[in-house]
Amino acid sequence: MKKHVLFLLLTLLALSVGVCSCKAWRTISTSATYVQQSDSAQTKTTTTISTKTVEEYQGVRKR
C-alpha cells in the first residue's frame, strides 16, 4: 500500500512540474559565400561557409 501511495505522489509531482514549465528550441542557420578571382589567370575559387546553431530554452510559468 505504501508503494502505491509513493508512486501516486511521485506521479503527481512530475505532472505538476511538467505543467508549470515548458521547453522551446530555436535553430539558426547562416551561410556565406566568398569568391576569389585572380587577376592574371581566369580561375575562380568559391568558398561557402555554413553554420547551424540550436538553442534550447527552459521556461517556468509565473504565478
Side-chain angles (χ1 to χ4, degrees):
M1 181 68 177
K2 287 184 180 182
K3 288 183 180 181
H4 180 67
V5 172
L6 181 62
F7 177 75
L8 183 61
L9 287 174
L10 289 175
T11 303
L12 290 175
L13 178 65
L15 284 173
S16 66
V17 169
V19 170
C20 295
S21 64
C22 65
K23 280 190 177 182
W25 291 270
R26 179 171 79 163
T27 302
I28 303 169
S29 299
T30 58
S31 180
T33 301
Y34 301 95
V35 178
Q36 181 180 5
Q37 183 173 0
S38 173
D39 289 338
S40 59
Q42 295 296 325
T43 59
K44 287 184 182 180
T45 303
T46 303
T47 304
T48 302
I49 300 171
S50 299
T51 62
K52 179 179 176 182
T53 304
V54 178
E55 297 176 345
E56 180 180 335
Y57 299 94
Q58 177 72 40
V60 177
R61 186 175 165 182
K62 292 184 179 180
R63 294 182 188 245

